[in-house]
Amino acid sequence: MTPLFSVESSDGFRTWKDKTGSFSIEAKLLGHDASKVVLQKRDGTIVNVPREKLSAADLERLAF
């Protein structure tokens, strides 16, 4: 069984997925607003992801 939410590691990194399930990224949440989510990959690269592209599970995660 697949967990509803991906597990966050002790260093804050987790796997984020798009709503199609075809793209994923391991990153740490830096922040978010009404239009985008700001993630940091393990190599330090900052990625801005439009909220509408995130999976339902990741959007629920942001609500916590």
Side-chain angles (χ1 to χ4, degrees):
M1 175 185 272
T2 304
L4 293 177
F5 300 100
S6 70
V7 176
E8 191 170 305
S9 65
S10 62
D11 59 2
F13 285 88
R14 62 185 295 275
T15 301
W16 296 81
K17 295 183 181 181
D18 74 349
K19 63 183 168 186
T20 69
S22 62
F23 177 80
S24 65
I25 182 173
E26 186 180 9
K28 179 177 11 180
L29 177 65
L30 295 182
H32 62 95
D33 61 24
S35 64
K36 71 178 180 290
V37 176
V38 182
L39 303 173
Q40 180 180 21
K41 297 180 356 180
R42 286 201 180 269
D43 69 3
T45 304
I46 305 297
V47 180
N48 291 294
V49 180
R51 285 180 78 105
E52 70 267 7
K53 294 196 179 246
L54 289 177
S55 69
D58 285 341
L59 289 173
E60 285 183 34
R61 172 84 169 110
L62 293 174
F64 286 99

